[in-house]
């Protein structure tokens, strides 16, 4: 009987990576809250994670890039997740679409979910440990 | 690990905001400065922010100060023949600093800076919890 740590930890490792990536995107938004013409971005978490899940189970074959000028076909779990532009509630006159309160709320939400994923992973590792030690 | 990128991004934002605070302080300090010609009078300065963009994939890496512009608003002219800096006609030229604008600028910059600190703390917390995973 073989044991695969990756499949044991499941989707949570991918989720953790995506949460960390989303954290970067959100912090970029907040960093550019006063930059003229900056458009706020975000990651469509559900879609990217679904794609990561697919690639884990090898349902969708990866698209080959035969020419360096080709655009990458978005958000594989290993690469950079595809970012989409946010639709602002009240865009600023200077063309900036960052709303600090929205970004801060999203960062709080994202941090909480990151910690939830960490807890899941911690639980899995604890289970593994108790199986190994057999106490 | 993309959570470390957050530190770079937020660091660039805090750097830019502190430049903005610095410029605001300079403007407020020179609000009452007078000169003997409109050209040498103090013109209010303002930093211009721009996104640090990756030319290859369009990814954002934070914010930078593109440059510092000088306000082209009208210079105030006062008749003070007794002033040591008065010109031949007895006029002195004040600055075009608008203290109300500067105070608003200062508030905005300090709030953005605080947001940066907030995100930095959240990311640090998440990283620390990730490091203690499986303990």
């Amino acid at each position: 009987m073989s044991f695969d740590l990756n499949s044991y930890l499941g989707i949570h490792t991918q989720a953790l990576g995506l949460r960390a990536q989303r954290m970067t995107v959100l912090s970029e938004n907040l960093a550019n809250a006063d930059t003229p013409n900056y458009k706020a971005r975000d990651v469509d978490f559900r879609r990217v994670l679904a794609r990561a899940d697919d690639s884990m189970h090898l349902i969708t074959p990866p698209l080959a890039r035969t020419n360096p000028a080709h655009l990458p076909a978005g958000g594989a779990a290993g690469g950079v997740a595809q970012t989409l532009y946010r639709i602002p509630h009240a865009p600023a006159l200077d063309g900036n679409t960052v709303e600090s309160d929205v970004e801060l709320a999203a960062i709080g939400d994202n941090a909480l979910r990151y910690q939830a994923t960490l807890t899941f992973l911690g639980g899995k590792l604890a289970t593994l440990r108790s199986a190994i030690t057999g106490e | 690990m993309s959570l470390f990128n957050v530190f770079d991004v937020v660091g660039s934002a805090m750097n830019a905001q502190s430049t903005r605070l610095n410029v605001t302080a300079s403007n407020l300090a020179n609000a009452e400065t007078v000169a003997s010609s409109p050209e040498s009078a103090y013109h209010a300065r303002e930093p211009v922010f721009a996104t640090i963009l990756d030319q290859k994939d369009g990814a954002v890496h934070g914010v930078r100060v593109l440059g510092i512009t000088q306000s082209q608003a009208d210079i105030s002219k006062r008749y003070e023949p007794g002033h040591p800096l008065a010109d031949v006609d007895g006029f002195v030229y004040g600055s075009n600093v608008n203290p109300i604008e500067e105070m608003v600028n200062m508030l905005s910059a300090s709030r953005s800076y605080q947001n940066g600190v907030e995100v930095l703390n959240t990311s640090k917390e998440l990283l620390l919890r990730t490091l203690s995973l499986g303990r």
Side-chain angles (χ1 to χ4, degrees), chain B residues 36-105:
Chain B
S36 42
S37 74
E39 290 77 35
S40 59
Y42 183 84
H43 290 71
R45 273 121 168 114
E46 194 173 358
V48 180
F49 290 173
T51 311
I52 306 174
L53 221 68
D54 194 318
Q55 293 302 323
K56 271 208 299 267
D57 56 1
V60 179
H61 296 298
V63 63
R64 69 195 165 102
V65 179
L66 196 64
I68 293 182
T69 57
Q70 295 202 6
S71 163
Q72 295 306 312
D74 288 338
I75 293 287
S76 62
K77 182 178 168 187
R78 293 198 302 273
Y79 183 62
E80 282 184 33
H83 199 286
L85 283 176
D87 63 4
V88 283
D89 302 320
F91 285 105
V92 289
Y93 301 88
S95 74
N96 61 359
V97 175
N98 183 345
I100 299 166
E101 265 175 32
E102 298 304 328
M103 292 306 283
V104 171
N105 230 334

Side-chain angles (χ1 to χ4, degrees), chain A residues 32-92:
Chain A
N32 285 289
D34 299 309
T35 309
N37 290 320
Y38 178 84
K39 308 292 180 219
R41 309 175 184 198
D42 201 353
V43 176
D44 187 350
F45 193 84
R46 190 185 300 266
R47 219 171 64 186
V48 179
L49 195 65
R51 194 170 296 156
D53 198 23
D54 283 353
S55 68
M56 206 165 79
H57 297 116
L58 297 174
I59 293 171
T60 46
L63 290 176
R65 288 167 72 192
T66 51
N67 187 312
H70 286 167
L71 292 174
V80 179
Q82 191 183 13
T83 53
L84 305 168
Y85 290 112
R86 215 192 266 295
I87 297 168
H89 298 108

Side-chain angles (χ1 to χ4, degrees), chain A residues 16-17 20-21 23-24 27-28 30-36 38 41 100 104 107 111 114-115 118-119 121-122 125 129, chain B residues 1-3 5-6 9-10 13 17 20 49-51 53 58 60 62-63 108 112 115 119 122-123 126 129-130 133-134:
Chain A
L16 200 69
Q21 236 175 63
M23 199 71 188
T24 315
S27 71
E28 281 158 359
L30 214 52
N32 285 289
D34 299 309
T35 309
Y38 178 84
R41 309 175 184 198
S100 301
L104 275 180
I107 284 173
Y114 186 94
Q115 296 200 25
L118 274 184
T119 310
L121 278 174
L125 289 175
R129 178 170 303 202
Chain B
M1 186 68 195
S2 53
L3 262 186
N5 296 346
V6 173
V9 171
V10 173
Q17 296 298 345
R20 186 171 165 206
F49 290 173
T51 311
L53 221 68
V60 179
V63 63
S108 169
S112 296
N115 281 346
V119 176
T122 308
S123 303
L126 291 181
R129 287 203 54 177
T130 312
L133 183 66

